[in-house]
């Protein structure tokens, strides 16, 4: 009977006697019905012992079948349910109930850490915000920016990525939250503005279309400081530049900084963002494309996207300035025209470098003219390569070109590098060896993007994560260092989609 009680799972043996009595009654047994012990009967076990062995085995077999049935035993508490079933139950509850549920016991708290519950909450509550994950460029006039929207625990957070303080181009990026969307509501997600220094407050997100959305702050008083605009400017200057205005002695630089503060402060209430993609990668690319931090003189550090397009490479500004705004193509590299640098003694001579670049520039202009004539139906004799091109093709001296090294199946060689005299550089801590150099052009313009023109320069590849550009007309040098942060939901679906994105962000500031 103990075996029978265990198999039945109901505790006392009376359940077994009751089933045994029912079976006996069905078989025509004339014995009296079993009496419940609570009603005064005391011979249940004795009657079970008096039954024949076949009847006992039949009862045990029936109890075993009942135990295998999911309806045989009702759990006494939620803790008796399998964890998988509890995950399903908890996942269907409103988000506001889950924190209180986690306080019940440690078992519930462990189950509520299951990713499945929160993935379901993200799909249900945040379904309408699924399109805003990824990389975005805010529409802040010429200044632009880089926003990364990610799922982080119970939140979707929009992180603004800021370059390190000038001129420390190799330092990591700085990040600060602009908004967050959390799951703790029953019917809809709550949007909070994170701008300012008074903590999260009410905000709103409007999704106009798949590749564009806007944010709005409903409590802009949280952005204000007790000391007024002067305190706000001093705080912004420490965060943006890592210094005080008294530390900046250059008057023109002070004007640029004050202008940026006044302009960007207008956008603390409402901002529009447009999607950007990371550039696709090809096996023939010079280096891995991606995002880089670069020095831009008095404008400080800016973010540039390096991408490859056949025999061309482009550097597109993700952040910009009043001269060359965000979205414009700051540099273009002609990979079909490598440059053979002179030896280290002659390289320090700016005139010698200018002469070499001018020869390559004339070569490029001749080739472009020939292409235009051929397109017009005219046939011209193929021009002969200039001296610098011939030397670069042979690779007899100086830096070996990347293309030549790849063709020979060996890693590219490195050669000494030094900036020519008279070239200004914000960062003197640039590499002293380079792997390849190419002819390129850099975009320069007056304030307000007036009279833009492309001027010749030299693209210098240092290693897989750093490159430079010598602006000959400006006699300045920009050093670029790779942004090594990983970004999800940011890959371009195709090369065509990426090219279309580049064209669209350029048109916005043209």
């Amino acid at each position: 009977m103990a075996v029978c009680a265990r198999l039945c799972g109901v505790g006392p043996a009376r359940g077994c006697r009751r089933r045994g009595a029912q079976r006996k009654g069905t078989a025509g047994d004339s014995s009296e019905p079993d009496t419940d012990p609570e009603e005064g009967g005391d011979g249940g076990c004795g009657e079970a012992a008096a039954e024949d062995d076949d009847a006992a085995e039949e009862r045990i077999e029936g109890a075993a079948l009942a135990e295998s049935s999911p309806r045989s035993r009702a759990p006494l508490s939620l803790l008796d349910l399998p964890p998988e079933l509890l995950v399903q139950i908890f996942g269907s509850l409103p988000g506001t109930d889950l924190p209180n549920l986690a306080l019940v016991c440690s078992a519930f708290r462990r189950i509520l850490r299951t990713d499945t519950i929160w993935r379901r909450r993200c799909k249900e509550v945040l379904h309408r915000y699924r399109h805003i994950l990824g990389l975005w460029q805010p529409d802040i006039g010429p200044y632009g920016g880089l926003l990364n929207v990610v799922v982080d625990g119970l939140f979707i957070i929009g992180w603004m990525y800021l370059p390190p303080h000038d001129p420390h181009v190799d330092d990591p990026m700085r990040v600060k939250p602009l908004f967050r969307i959390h799951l703790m509501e029953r019917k809809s997600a709550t949007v909070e503005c994170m701008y300012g220094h008074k903590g999260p407050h009410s905000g709103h997100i409007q999704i106009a279309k798949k590749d564009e959305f806007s944010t709005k702050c409903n409590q802009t008083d949280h952005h204000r400081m007790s000391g007024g605009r002067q305190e706000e400017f001093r705080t912004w200057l420490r965060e943006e530049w890592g210094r005080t205005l008294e530390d900046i002695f250059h008057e023109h630089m002070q004007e640029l900084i004050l202008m940026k503060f006044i302009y960007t402060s207008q956008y603390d209430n409402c901002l529009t963002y447009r999607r950007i993609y990371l550039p696709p990668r090809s096996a023939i690319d010079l280096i891995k494309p991606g995002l880089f931090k670069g020095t831009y003189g008095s404008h400080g550090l800016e973010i540039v996207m390096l991408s490859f397009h056949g025999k061309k490479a482009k550097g597109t500004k993700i952040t910009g300035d009043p001269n060359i705004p965000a979205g414009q193509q700051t540099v273009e590299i002609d990979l079909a025209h490598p440059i053979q640098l002179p030896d280290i003694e002659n390289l320090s001579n700016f005139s010698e470098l200018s002469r070499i670049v001018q020869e390559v520039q004339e070569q490029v202009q001749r080739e472009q003219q020939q292409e235009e004539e051929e397109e017009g139906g005219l046939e011209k004799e193929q021009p002969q390569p200039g001296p610098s091109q011939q030397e670069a093709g042979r690779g007899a001296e100086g830096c070996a070109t990347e293309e030549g090294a790849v063709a020979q199946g060996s890693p590219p060689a490195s050669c000494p590098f030094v900036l020519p005299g008279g070239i200004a550089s914000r960062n003197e801590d640039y590499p002293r060896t380079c792997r390849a150099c190419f002819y390129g052009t850099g975009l320069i313009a007056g304030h307000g993007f007036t009279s833009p023109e492309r001027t010749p320069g030299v693209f210098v590849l240092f290693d897989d994560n750093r490159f430079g550009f010598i602006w000959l007309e400006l006699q300045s040098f920009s050093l670029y260092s790779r942004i090594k942060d990983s970004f999800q939901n940011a890959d371009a679906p195709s090369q065509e989609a990426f090219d279309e994105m580049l064209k669209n962000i350029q048109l916005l500031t043209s």
Side-chain angles (χ1 to χ4, degrees):
M1 182 52 60
V3 174
C4 183
R6 179 174 58 82
L7 291 175
C8 291
V10 295
R14 59 184 183 181
C16 300
R17 296 197 302 273
R18 187 168 295 147
R19 282 193 290 273
Q22 291 173 352
R23 288 196 181 91
K24 289 168 62 178
T26 304
D29 194 327
S30 58
S31 61
E32 295 181 0
D34 191 36
T35 304
D36 193 288
E38 294 178 359
E39 298 174 356
D42 59 356
C45 292
E47 290 179 9
E51 294 175 350
D52 57 15
D53 293 339
D54 292 340
E57 290 178 3
E58 183 180 355
R59 286 197 306 276
I60 294 174
E61 181 180 358
L65 292 174
E67 176 70 15
S68 64
S69 172
R71 299 181 178 179
S72 62
R73 175 173 177 258
L76 299 180
S77 73
L78 284 174
L79 289 173
D80 292 329
L81 294 174
E84 296 82 1
L85 187 55
L86 290 177
V87 168
Q88 296 295 323
I89 294 174
F90 293 172
S92 63
L93 296 175
T96 49
D97 294 343
L98 299 183
N100 292 331
L101 191 61
L103 299 176
V104 172
C105 62
S106 60
F108 283 7
R109 189 160 52 252
R110 285 194 300 269
I111 292 173
L112 285 170
R113 292 178 183 150
T114 306
D115 290 342
T116 306
I117 296 176
W118 300 109
R119 280 198 298 266
R120 178 183 300 173
R121 296 293 302 163
C122 287
K123 290 180 180 179
E124 293 175 354
V125 180
L126 303 177
H127 179 74
R128 65 181 298 238
Y129 299 108
R130 67 192 184 280
H131 291 310
I132 73 171
L133 299 179
L135 287 178
W136 302 83
Q137 185 183 47
D139 183 10
I140 315 180
Y143 298 103
L146 180 65
L147 180 81
N148 185 29
V149 183
V150 299
V151 177
D152 186 357
L154 305 181
F155 303 93
I156 284 182
I157 302 180
W159 294 98
M160 182 66 82
Y161 276 67
L162 304 171
H165 295 139
D166 181 51
H168 307 292
V169 69
D170 286 326
D171 286 357
M173 296 289 286
R174 299 174 294 125
V175 296
K176 68 175 183 179
L178 290 192
F179 64 84
R180 71 180 183 184
I181 311 165
H182 63 76
L183 319 178
M184 305 309 295
E185 295 295 330
R186 293 178 178 270
K187 296 182 179 179
S188 62
T190 297
V191 178
E192 293 177 326
C193 176
M194 305 291 288
Y195 191 88
H197 300 269
K198 296 183 179 180
H201 46 282
S202 175
H204 175 71
I205 289 181
Q206 180 178 358
I207 303 175
K209 48 188 176 181
K210 184 177 180 180
D211 293 328
E212 181 180 315
F213 74 95
S214 299
T215 59
K216 181 180 179 181
C217 176
N218 297 330
Q219 295 175 287
T220 54
D221 57 299
H222 282 64
H223 305 172
R224 307 281 74 87
M225 291 185 172
S226 57
R229 298 291 279 176
Q230 289 187 352
E231 182 183 356
E232 293 172 14
F233 175 66
R234 286 193 297 267
T235 302
W236 175 87
L237 187 60
R238 286 194 300 269
E239 295 177 350
E240 186 80 8
W241 293 85
R243 62 183 77 177
T244 65
L245 196 62
E246 291 74 16
D247 298 331
I248 304 171
F249 302 105
H250 198 289
E251 185 177 350
H252 177 62
M253 191 172 181
Q254 291 180 350
E255 293 176 355
L256 291 174
I257 291 174
L258 183 59
M259 182 188 308
K260 184 174 183 179
F261 170 74
I262 294 174
Y263 193 97
T264 56
S265 297
Q266 306 174 44
Y267 291 86
D268 66 348
N269 178 39
C270 185
L271 263 178
T272 298
Y273 301 86
R274 295 178 178 87
R275 182 180 297 280
I276 59 175
Y277 297 116
L278 292 177
R281 185 179 185 182
S282 171
I284 63 173
D285 291 342
L286 193 63
I287 58 174
K288 179 183 176 182
L291 297 170
F292 290 79
K293 303 153 286 184
T295 56
Y296 278 88
S298 299
H299 298 293
L301 299 188
E302 298 183 13
I303 302 174
V304 170
M305 178 182 289
L306 180 68
S307 58
F308 293 92
H309 310 262
K311 292 184 178 295
K312 300 283 186 181
K314 299 178 181 180
T316 304
K317 279 194 172 186
I318 303 302
T319 61
D321 53 68
N323 291 74
I324 307 298
Q328 293 298 317
Q329 186 180 313
T330 176
V331 295
E332 181 177 276
I333 302 100
D334 191 341
L335 301 176
H337 292 85
I339 286 181
Q340 184 72 43
L341 294 178
D343 54 47
I344 193 67
E345 290 79 10
N346 292 326
L347 179 59
S348 60
N349 188 334
F350 178 76
S351 299
E352 179 66 14
L353 179 63
S354 298
R355 181 191 65 79
I356 293 175
V357 174
Q358 184 177 2
E359 290 179 353
V360 180
Q361 182 183 25
E362 293 172 354
Q363 163 85 15
V364 172
Q365 291 173 348
R366 288 195 300 268
E367 293 177 359
Q368 291 176 346
Q369 183 179 1
Q370 180 192 8
E371 292 177 359
E372 293 173 358
E373 292 174 348
E374 289 177 350
E375 290 177 358
L378 299 177
E379 295 184 0
K380 289 283 186 179
E381 183 180 352
Q382 179 74 20
Q384 296 299 318
S388 60
Q389 176 69 8
Q390 291 175 340
E391 293 175 4
R394 291 196 302 268
E397 301 179 48
C399 284
T401 67
E402 185 84 4
E403 290 181 332
V406 172
Q408 297 172 5
S410 60
S414 295
C415 68
F417 175 82
V418 64
L419 282 176
I423 297 291
S425 175
R426 297 287 294 178
N427 194 330
E428 295 297 333
D429 189 23
Y430 60 87
R432 292 312 195 263
T433 60
C434 67
R435 284 166 37 178
C437 296
F438 295 88
Y439 172 79
T441 59
L443 184 62
I444 63 174
H447 186 83
F449 197 41
T450 56
S451 305
E453 61 174 321
R454 306 209 69 87
T455 60
V458 181
F459 172 85
V460 185
L461 177 64
F462 294 115
D463 50 47
D464 289 337
N465 296 315
R466 289 177 295 180
F467 66 87
F469 192 84
I470 300 175
W471 309 74
L472 290 182
E473 185 166 327
L474 300 178
Q475 296 190 16
S476 66
F477 173 74
S478 292
L479 177 64
Y480 301 82
S481 179
R482 185 183 298 278
I483 296 175
K484 298 181 180 180
D485 302 72
S486 59
F487 300 102
Q488 299 180 349
N489 304 296
D491 294 331
S494 65
Q495 183 67 49
E496 292 74 17
F498 178 77
D499 293 339
E500 184 70 17
M501 181 271 298
L502 283 186
K503 182 175 68 175
N504 290 337
I505 64 174
Q506 184 175 4
L507 288 174
L508 291 173
T509 54
S510 295

